[in-house]
Amino acid sequence: MPRLLSDPASAIGQAVYLLRQVRTTIGRRSFNDIVINHRSVSGEHALIRREGQDIYLEDLHSTNGTFVNGRFIKRQRLEHNDTVEIGGCVLRFVAEEAADNPTWTPKRVPPLSTQRGPEASATATLPLGMGLGTQQPSMVKVLTGEAAGREMVLTKVVTTIGKPGVLLASITRRPSGCVIAHVEGSGRPVVNGVEMVGEVMPLQDGDVIDLAGTQMKFING
C-alpha cells in the first residue's frame, strides 16, 4: 500500500501514513484523513488523490506551501522515494509495490538561484532525520521605525512578523532554507523592492523585507 513516512528525528517524529483512500486530505485540523499537528501545517494543507495507477499531490492554498523534491508545487504526480514537504515537515513517499529503504536520502533538484517566486524553492539536501534543530538559526533585523536595530532570531519553525490588522507575514524554517509567506492584510510583503507573488518566496541572505513601511533585513544562519 502506498504511504508517507517520517523519521523519529524529524519535526513530527516517527509516523507512517497509509494512503488507503482514493482521496486523502492532509492538514492540522482534526477532520483531515491525515492529521499533522504542527504549527507550520495549515488547517487544510494538501490533498493526495489516486487516479488509476497514479497518485497526485495537490496544495490546497496552504500558508507555507507544499513541496516535492525541494520545489513548490500546485499539483504533481508522486514517484517512489519523492521527498514531500508539508509546511516544515519532511516526509517520504513510498509507492505501493516498493520496499522500504532505510538509507534513503531526499532527491535533489537543480538549483534555481536566479529565480524569485514559489517556483524558485531552494533544493532539499538534508537526509531524512536531520531536522530543523541542526541548522544555525537565521534572524531578521529591523531597519526602520521605533524598533530599528532590534534583532529577532528565528528559533521557531514558523515566526510571524509585521503589524496585526495591517500586514502580517510568516517566515518558515524549512530543511532547504527559509521562505516568507503572506498571512493577512490587504497589501503584500515586498522583498528587495519587488512585491511578493504566489504563496511563498525563498529568502536569501541580505534580502530586505518591507511590511507596510517597516523594513527589516533577513540574515541567513
Side-chain angles (χ1 to χ4, degrees):
M1 179 176 296
R3 55 203 180 275
L4 292 173
L5 305 178
S6 66
D7 184 84
S10 70
I12 55 176
Q14 185 176 23
V16 179
Y17 303 106
L18 299 177
L19 306 177
R20 296 188 177 95
Q21 303 169 184
V22 173
R23 187 178 183 276
T24 302
T25 59
I26 305 173
R28 195 175 65 251
R29 294 182 181 174
S30 59
F31 56 73
N32 287 284
D33 301 305
I34 295 177
V35 178
I36 301 180
N37 187 18
H38 193 274
R39 56 179 173 246
S40 68
V41 178
S42 295
E44 300 173 67
H45 196 110
L47 169 69
I48 292 181
R49 189 193 305 271
R50 187 192 294 266
E51 299 182 10
Q53 298 300 312
D54 296 325
I55 293 180
Y56 287 85
L57 175 66
E58 302 176 21
D59 182 77
L60 298 179
H61 305 288
S62 64
T63 297
N64 293 313
T66 302
F67 297 78
V68 175
N69 299 330
R71 285 184 176 169
F72 175 87
I73 63 102
K74 284 290 189 180
R75 184 176 189 269
Q76 182 164 319
R77 184 171 65 87
L78 293 177
E79 298 181 357
H80 179 58
N81 274 341
D82 273 349
T83 301
V84 175
E85 295 177 61
I86 304 294
C89 302
V90 182
L91 302 138
R92 171 163 57 109
F93 173 71
V94 176
E96 187 167 13
E97 70 281 0
D100 189 14
N101 178 7
T103 63
W104 171 86
T105 56
K107 293 182 180 179
R108 299 187 178 193
V109 294
L112 301 175
S113 57
T114 60
Q115 298 186 18
R116 301 291 290 187
E119 70 278 4
S121 166
T123 304
T125 58
L126 295 184
L128 191 68
M130 187 175 292
L132 292 171
T134 62
Q135 298 177 348
Q136 287 292 107
S138 301
M139 68 173 64
V140 290
K141 181 176 182 178
V142 181
L143 303 178
T144 61
E146 295 180 358
R150 178 187 174 191
E151 295 180 348
M152 183 185 306
V153 180
L154 306 177
T155 56
K156 299 179 180 180
V157 174
V158 180
T159 301
T160 301
I161 56 175
K163 302 175 182 178
V166 179
L167 179 58
L168 282 178
S170 67
I171 296 178
T172 300
R173 294 178 60 216
R174 299 175 55 246
S176 51
C178 290
V179 297
I180 187 171
H182 175 257
V183 175
E184 67 175 28
S186 57
R188 304 278 291 178
V190 174
V191 180
N192 298 330
V194 180
E195 186 173 282
M196 175 183 166
V197 295
E199 283 76 13
V200 297
M201 175 184 286
L203 290 173
Q204 299 175 7
D205 185 45
D207 280 351
V208 175
I209 303 165
D210 190 318
L211 299 177
T214 299
Q215 293 186 342
M216 54 194 74
K217 183 178 181 180
F218 173 74
I219 302 170
N220 195 27

PDB file of all heavy atoms in Angstrom, residues 108-137:
ATOM      1  N   ARG A 108      17.558  15.429  -5.123  1.00  0.00           N
ATOM      2  CA  ARG A 108      17.981  16.809  -5.335  1.00  0.00           C
ATOM      3  C   ARG A 108      17.445  17.297  -6.670  1.00  0.00           C
ATOM      4  O   ARG A 108      17.272  16.530  -7.592  1.00  0.00           O
ATOM      5  CB  ARG A 108      19.501  16.922  -5.297  1.00  0.00           C
ATOM      6  CG  ARG A 108      20.105  16.489  -3.964  1.00  0.00           C
ATOM      7  CD  ARG A 108      21.577  16.772  -3.902  1.00  0.00           C
ATOM      8  NE  ARG A 108      22.141  16.408  -2.610  1.00  0.00           N
ATOM      9  CZ  ARG A 108      23.334  16.769  -2.199  1.00  0.00           C
ATOM     10  NH1 ARG A 108      24.089  17.499  -2.987  1.00  0.00           N
ATOM     11  NH2 ARG A 108      23.771  16.408  -1.025  1.00  0.00           N
ATOM     12  N   VAL A 109      17.217  18.592  -6.725  1.00  0.00           N
ATOM     13  CA  VAL A 109      16.794  19.207  -7.982  1.00  0.00           C
ATOM     14  C   VAL A 109      17.808  20.279  -8.340  1.00  0.00           C
ATOM     15  O   VAL A 109      18.507  20.798  -7.470  1.00  0.00           O
ATOM     16  CB  VAL A 109      15.388  19.835  -7.843  1.00  0.00           C
ATOM     17  CG1 VAL A 109      14.357  18.768  -7.603  1.00  0.00           C
ATOM     18  CG2 VAL A 109      15.362  20.853  -6.720  1.00  0.00           C
ATOM     19  N   PRO A 110      17.935  20.626  -9.619  1.00  0.00           N
ATOM     20  CA  PRO A 110      18.884  21.672  -9.993  1.00  0.00           C
ATOM     21  C   PRO A 110      18.543  22.981  -9.300  1.00  0.00           C
ATOM     22  O   PRO A 110      17.377  23.352  -9.226  1.00  0.00           O
ATOM     23  CB  PRO A 110      18.697  21.795 -11.518  1.00  0.00           C
ATOM     24  CG  PRO A 110      18.096  20.495 -11.917  1.00  0.00           C
ATOM     25  CD  PRO A 110      17.254  20.054 -10.757  1.00  0.00           C
ATOM     26  N   PRO A 111      19.523  23.707  -8.745  1.00  0.00           N
ATOM     27  CA  PRO A 111      19.234  24.969  -8.074  1.00  0.00           C
ATOM     28  C   PRO A 111      18.709  26.005  -9.035  1.00  0.00           C
ATOM     29  O   PRO A 111      19.129  26.064 -10.184  1.00  0.00           O
ATOM     30  CB  PRO A 111      20.589  25.382  -7.493  1.00  0.00           C
ATOM     31  CG  PRO A 111      21.598  24.694  -8.356  1.00  0.00           C
ATOM     32  CD  PRO A 111      20.969  23.399  -8.770  1.00  0.00           C
ATOM     33  N   LEU A 112      17.766  26.833  -8.544  1.00  0.00           N
ATOM     34  CA  LEU A 112      17.193  27.887  -9.357  1.00  0.00           C
ATOM     35  C   LEU A 112      17.490  29.226  -8.688  1.00  0.00           C
ATOM     36  O   LEU A 112      16.614  30.024  -8.406  1.00  0.00           O
ATOM     37  CB  LEU A 112      15.678  27.685  -9.490  1.00  0.00           C
ATOM     38  CG  LEU A 112      15.260  26.345 -10.110  1.00  0.00           C
ATOM     39  CD1 LEU A 112      13.752  26.203 -10.068  1.00  0.00           C
ATOM     40  CD2 LEU A 112      15.742  26.242 -11.543  1.00  0.00           C
ATOM     41  N   SER A 113      18.771  29.485  -8.440  1.00  0.00           N
ATOM     42  CA  SER A 113      19.162  30.612  -7.608  1.00  0.00           C
ATOM     43  C   SER A 113      18.850  31.957  -8.247  1.00  0.00           C
ATOM     44  O   SER A 113      18.778  32.967  -7.560  1.00  0.00           O
ATOM     45  CB  SER A 113      20.661  30.542  -7.302  1.00  0.00           C
ATOM     46  OG  SER A 113      21.418  30.517  -8.502  1.00  0.00           O
ATOM     47  N   THR A 114      18.647  31.988  -9.557  1.00  0.00           N
ATOM     48  CA  THR A 114      18.392  33.263 -10.202  1.00  0.00           C
ATOM     49  C   THR A 114      16.915  33.600 -10.242  1.00  0.00           C
ATOM     50  O   THR A 114      16.551  34.691 -10.665  1.00  0.00           O
ATOM     51  CB  THR A 114      18.930  33.235 -11.653  1.00  0.00           C
ATOM     52  OG1 THR A 114      18.259  32.195 -12.378  1.00  0.00           O
ATOM     53  CG2 THR A 114      20.420  32.986 -11.672  1.00  0.00           C
ATOM     54  N   GLN A 115      16.031  32.680  -9.819  1.00  0.00           N
ATOM     55  CA  GLN A 115      14.604  32.927  -9.876  1.00  0.00           C
ATOM     56  C   GLN A 115      14.105  33.398  -8.531  1.00  0.00           C
ATOM     57  O   GLN A 115      14.655  33.086  -7.500  1.00  0.00           O
ATOM     58  CB  GLN A 115      13.853  31.656 -10.296  1.00  0.00           C
ATOM     59  CG  GLN A 115      14.225  31.163 -11.677  1.00  0.00           C
ATOM     60  CD  GLN A 115      13.372  30.005 -12.094  1.00  0.00           C
ATOM     61  OE1 GLN A 115      12.308  29.758 -11.537  1.00  0.00           O
ATOM     62  NE2 GLN A 115      13.838  29.253 -13.070  1.00  0.00           N
ATOM     63  N   ARG A 116      13.001  34.153  -8.547  1.00  0.00           N
ATOM     64  CA  ARG A 116      12.377  34.623  -7.324  1.00  0.00           C
ATOM     65  C   ARG A 116      10.895  34.338  -7.446  1.00  0.00           C
ATOM     66  O   ARG A 116      10.235  34.792  -8.353  1.00  0.00           O
ATOM     67  CB  ARG A 116      12.584  36.118  -7.131  1.00  0.00           C
ATOM     68  CG  ARG A 116      14.029  36.522  -7.068  1.00  0.00           C
ATOM     69  CD  ARG A 116      14.719  36.025  -5.812  1.00  0.00           C
ATOM     70  NE  ARG A 116      14.237  36.728  -4.643  1.00  0.00           N
ATOM     71  CZ  ARG A 116      14.765  36.587  -3.448  1.00  0.00           C
ATOM     72  NH1 ARG A 116      15.764  35.765  -3.262  1.00  0.00           N
ATOM     73  NH2 ARG A 116      14.291  37.255  -2.427  1.00  0.00           N
ATOM     74  N   GLY A 117      10.335  33.603  -6.523  1.00  0.00           N
ATOM     75  CA  GLY A 117       8.933  33.245  -6.556  1.00  0.00           C
ATOM     76  C   GLY A 117       8.772  31.828  -6.072  1.00  0.00           C
ATOM     77  O   GLY A 117       9.747  31.155  -5.724  1.00  0.00           O
ATOM     78  N   PRO A 118       7.531  31.304  -6.015  1.00  0.00           N
ATOM     79  CA  PRO A 118       7.314  29.970  -5.470  1.00  0.00           C
ATOM     80  C   PRO A 118       8.015  28.883  -6.238  1.00  0.00           C
ATOM     81  O   PRO A 118       8.407  27.863  -5.673  1.00  0.00           O
ATOM     82  CB  PRO A 118       5.780  29.810  -5.542  1.00  0.00           C
ATOM     83  CG  PRO A 118       5.329  30.841  -6.517  1.00  0.00           C
ATOM     84  CD  PRO A 118       6.295  31.969  -6.398  1.00  0.00           C
ATOM     85  N   GLU A 119       8.223  29.083  -7.554  1.00  0.00           N
ATOM     86  CA  GLU A 119       8.896  28.052  -8.335  1.00  0.00           C
ATOM     87  C   GLU A 119      10.385  28.015  -8.072  1.00  0.00           C
ATOM     88  O   GLU A 119      11.088  27.131  -8.550  1.00  0.00           O
ATOM     89  CB  GLU A 119       8.626  28.280  -9.829  1.00  0.00           C
ATOM     90  CG  GLU A 119       9.315  29.505 -10.408  1.00  0.00           C
ATOM     91  CD  GLU A 119       8.558  30.797 -10.133  1.00  0.00           C
ATOM     92  OE1 GLU A 119       7.541  30.748  -9.429  1.00  0.00           O
ATOM     93  OE2 GLU A 119       8.993  31.843 -10.633  1.00  0.00           O
ATOM     94  N   ALA A 120      10.902  28.959  -7.287  1.00  0.00           N
ATOM     95  CA  ALA A 120      12.337  29.047  -7.046  1.00  0.00           C
ATOM     96  C   ALA A 120      12.730  28.456  -5.705  1.00  0.00           C
ATOM     97  O   ALA A 120      13.726  28.840  -5.126  1.00  0.00           O
ATOM     98  CB  ALA A 120      12.783  30.513  -7.099  1.00  0.00           C
ATOM     99  N   SER A 121      11.945  27.494  -5.226  1.00  0.00           N
ATOM    100  CA  SER A 121      12.262  26.877  -3.936  1.00  0.00           C
ATOM    101  C   SER A 121      13.666  26.316  -3.931  1.00  0.00           C
ATOM    102  O   SER A 121      14.113  25.703  -4.891  1.00  0.00           O
ATOM    103  CB  SER A 121      11.267  25.747  -3.665  1.00  0.00           C
ATOM    104  OG  SER A 121      11.720  24.934  -2.626  1.00  0.00           O
ATOM    105  N   ALA A 122      14.377  26.523  -2.830  1.00  0.00           N
ATOM    106  CA  ALA A 122      15.740  26.001  -2.719  1.00  0.00           C
ATOM    107  C   ALA A 122      15.723  24.490  -2.685  1.00  0.00           C
ATOM    108  O   ALA A 122      14.755  23.863  -2.286  1.00  0.00           O
ATOM    109  CB  ALA A 122      16.389  26.540  -1.459  1.00  0.00           C
ATOM    110  N   THR A 123      16.825  23.877  -3.101  1.00  0.00           N
ATOM    111  CA  THR A 123      16.920  22.427  -3.160  1.00  0.00           C
ATOM    112  C   THR A 123      16.926  21.812  -1.781  1.00  0.00           C
ATOM    113  O   THR A 123      17.613  22.270  -0.885  1.00  0.00           O
ATOM    114  CB  THR A 123      18.226  22.041  -3.881  1.00  0.00           C
ATOM    115  OG1 THR A 123      18.229  22.659  -5.155  1.00  0.00           O
ATOM    116  CG2 THR A 123      18.339  20.537  -4.040  1.00  0.00           C
ATOM    117  N   ALA A 124      16.166  20.726  -1.621  1.00  0.00           N
ATOM    118  CA  ALA A 124      16.195  19.981  -0.363  1.00  0.00           C
ATOM    119  C   ALA A 124      17.379  19.031  -0.388  1.00  0.00           C
ATOM    120  O   ALA A 124      17.474  18.170  -1.247  1.00  0.00           O
ATOM    121  CB  ALA A 124      14.891  19.194  -0.200  1.00  0.00           C
ATOM    122  N   THR A 125      18.312  19.191   0.545  1.00  0.00           N
ATOM    123  CA  THR A 125      19.517  18.390   0.518  1.00  0.00           C
ATOM    124  C   THR A 125      19.749  17.615   1.802  1.00  0.00           C
ATOM    125  O   THR A 125      20.671  16.819   1.874  1.00  0.00           O
ATOM    126  CB  THR A 125      20.754  19.279   0.275  1.00  0.00           C
ATOM    127  OG1 THR A 125      20.822  20.259   1.310  1.00  0.00           O
ATOM    128  CG2 THR A 125      20.656  19.992  -1.065  1.00  0.00           C
ATOM    129  N   LEU A 126      18.920  17.836   2.831  1.00  0.00           N
ATOM    130  CA  LEU A 126      19.170  17.164   4.092  1.00  0.00           C
ATOM    131  C   LEU A 126      18.617  15.754   4.078  1.00  0.00           C
ATOM    132  O   LEU A 126      17.528  15.517   3.571  1.00  0.00           O
ATOM    133  CB  LEU A 126      18.498  17.944   5.242  1.00  0.00           C
ATOM    134  CG  LEU A 126      19.051  19.340   5.517  1.00  0.00           C
ATOM    135  CD1 LEU A 126      18.345  19.915   6.723  1.00  0.00           C
ATOM    136  CD2 LEU A 126      20.541  19.279   5.770  1.00  0.00           C
ATOM    137  N   PRO A 127      19.323  14.761   4.636  1.00  0.00           N
ATOM    138  CA  PRO A 127      18.784  13.427   4.743  1.00  0.00           C
ATOM    139  C   PRO A 127      17.657  13.382   5.745  1.00  0.00           C
ATOM    140  O   PRO A 127      17.595  14.192   6.664  1.00  0.00           O
ATOM    141  CB  PRO A 127      19.987  12.606   5.241  1.00  0.00           C
ATOM    142  CG  PRO A 127      20.846  13.593   5.933  1.00  0.00           C
ATOM    143  CD  PRO A 127      20.670  14.881   5.190  1.00  0.00           C
ATOM    144  N   LEU A 128      16.737  12.436   5.550  1.00  0.00           N
ATOM    145  CA  LEU A 128      15.656  12.241   6.493  1.00  0.00           C
ATOM    146  C   LEU A 128      16.244  11.953   7.858  1.00  0.00           C
ATOM    147  O   LEU A 128      17.120  11.122   8.021  1.00  0.00           O
ATOM    148  CB  LEU A 128      14.788  11.056   6.055  1.00  0.00           C
ATOM    149  CG  LEU A 128      13.463  10.891   6.795  1.00  0.00           C
ATOM    150  CD1 LEU A 128      12.528  12.042   6.439  1.00  0.00           C
ATOM    151  CD2 LEU A 128      12.812   9.570   6.443  1.00  0.00           C
ATOM    152  N   GLY A 129      15.747  12.682   8.875  1.00  0.00           N
ATOM    153  CA  GLY A 129      16.271  12.517  10.217  1.00  0.00           C
ATOM    154  C   GLY A 129      17.113  13.698  10.643  1.00  0.00           C
ATOM    155  O   GLY A 129      17.338  13.894  11.822  1.00  0.00           O
ATOM    156  N   MET A 130      17.580  14.523   9.691  1.00  0.00           N
ATOM    157  CA  MET A 130      18.330  15.727  10.038  1.00  0.00           C
ATOM    158  C   MET A 130      17.342  16.867  10.126  1.00  0.00           C
ATOM    159  O   MET A 130      16.968  17.456   9.130  1.00  0.00           O
ATOM    160  CB  MET A 130      19.405  16.030   8.996  1.00  0.00           C
ATOM    161  CG  MET A 130      20.326  17.183   9.402  1.00  0.00           C
ATOM    162  SD  MET A 130      21.664  17.435   8.224  1.00  0.00           S
ATOM    163  CE  MET A 130      22.623  15.955   8.475  1.00  0.00           C
ATOM    164  N   GLY A 131      16.818  17.113  11.302  1.00  0.00           N
ATOM    165  CA  GLY A 131      15.725  18.044  11.497  1.00  0.00           C
ATOM    166  C   GLY A 131      16.169  19.480  11.493  1.00  0.00           C
ATOM    167  O   GLY A 131      17.341  19.815  11.362  1.00  0.00           O
ATOM    168  N   LEU A 132      15.150  20.377  11.698  1.00  0.00           N
ATOM    169  CA  LEU A 132      15.429  21.798  11.668  1.00  0.00           C
ATOM    170  C   LEU A 132      16.339  22.228  12.804  1.00  0.00           C
ATOM    171  O   LEU A 132      17.023  23.234  12.717  1.00  0.00           O
ATOM    172  CB  LEU A 132      14.100  22.562  11.772  1.00  0.00           C
ATOM    173  CG  LEU A 132      13.183  22.415  10.564  1.00  0.00           C
ATOM    174  CD1 LEU A 132      11.842  23.022  10.877  1.00  0.00           C
ATOM    175  CD2 LEU A 132      13.784  23.066   9.348  1.00  0.00           C
ATOM    176  N   GLY A 133      16.360  21.449  13.892  1.00  0.00           N
ATOM    177  CA  GLY A 133      17.155  21.844  15.036  1.00  0.00           C
ATOM    178  C   GLY A 133      18.646  21.793  14.783  1.00  0.00           C
ATOM    179  O   GLY A 133      19.429  22.307  15.570  1.00  0.00           O
ATOM    180  N   THR A 134      19.084  21.153  13.691  1.00  0.00           N
ATOM    181  CA  THR A 134      20.510  21.046  13.410  1.00  0.00           C
ATOM    182  C   THR A 134      21.049  22.269  12.680  1.00  0.00           C
ATOM    183  O   THR A 134      22.245  22.399  12.507  1.00  0.00           O
ATOM    184  CB  THR A 134      20.791  19.800  12.558  1.00  0.00           C
ATOM    185  OG1 THR A 134      20.118  19.939  11.310  1.00  0.00           O
ATOM    186  CG2 THR A 134      20.309  18.540  13.262  1.00  0.00           C
ATOM    187  N   GLN A 135      20.166  23.167  12.214  1.00  0.00           N
ATOM    188  CA  GLN A 135      20.618  24.324  11.472  1.00  0.00           C
ATOM    189  C   GLN A 135      20.921  25.482  12.425  1.00  0.00           C
ATOM    190  O   GLN A 135      20.323  25.621  13.482  1.00  0.00           O
ATOM    191  CB  GLN A 135      19.529  24.772  10.496  1.00  0.00           C
ATOM    192  CG  GLN A 135      19.188  23.736   9.444  1.00  0.00           C
ATOM    193  CD  GLN A 135      18.056  24.226   8.563  1.00  0.00           C
ATOM    194  OE1 GLN A 135      17.405  25.209   8.886  1.00  0.00           O
ATOM    195  NE2 GLN A 135      17.819  23.565   7.467  1.00  0.00           N
ATOM    196  N   GLN A 136      21.894  26.328  12.055  1.00  0.00           N
ATOM    197  CA  GLN A 136      22.107  27.560  12.784  1.00  0.00           C
ATOM    198  C   GLN A 136      20.916  28.476  12.516  1.00  0.00           C
ATOM    199  O   GLN A 136      20.504  28.639  11.370  1.00  0.00           O
ATOM    200  CB  GLN A 136      23.389  28.221  12.307  1.00  0.00           C
ATOM    201  CG  GLN A 136      24.649  27.518  12.773  1.00  0.00           C
ATOM    202  CD  GLN A 136      24.829  27.642  14.267  1.00  0.00           C
ATOM    203  OE1 GLN A 136      24.637  26.677  14.990  1.00  0.00           O
ATOM    204  NE2 GLN A 136      25.156  28.821  14.749  1.00  0.00           N
ATOM    205  N   PRO A 137      20.326  29.083  13.541  1.00  0.00           N
ATOM    206  CA  PRO A 137      19.137  29.904  13.320  1.00  0.00           C
ATOM    207  C   PRO A 137      19.460  31.162  12.519  1.00  0.00           C
ATOM    208  O   PRO A 137      20.494  31.803  12.718  1.00  0.00           O
ATOM    209  CB  PRO A 137      18.682  30.264  14.735  1.00  0.00           C
ATOM    210  CG  PRO A 137      19.895  30.110  15.580  1.00  0.00           C
ATOM    211  CD  PRO A 137      20.694  29.008  14.950  1.00  0.00           C
TER     212      PRO A 137
END
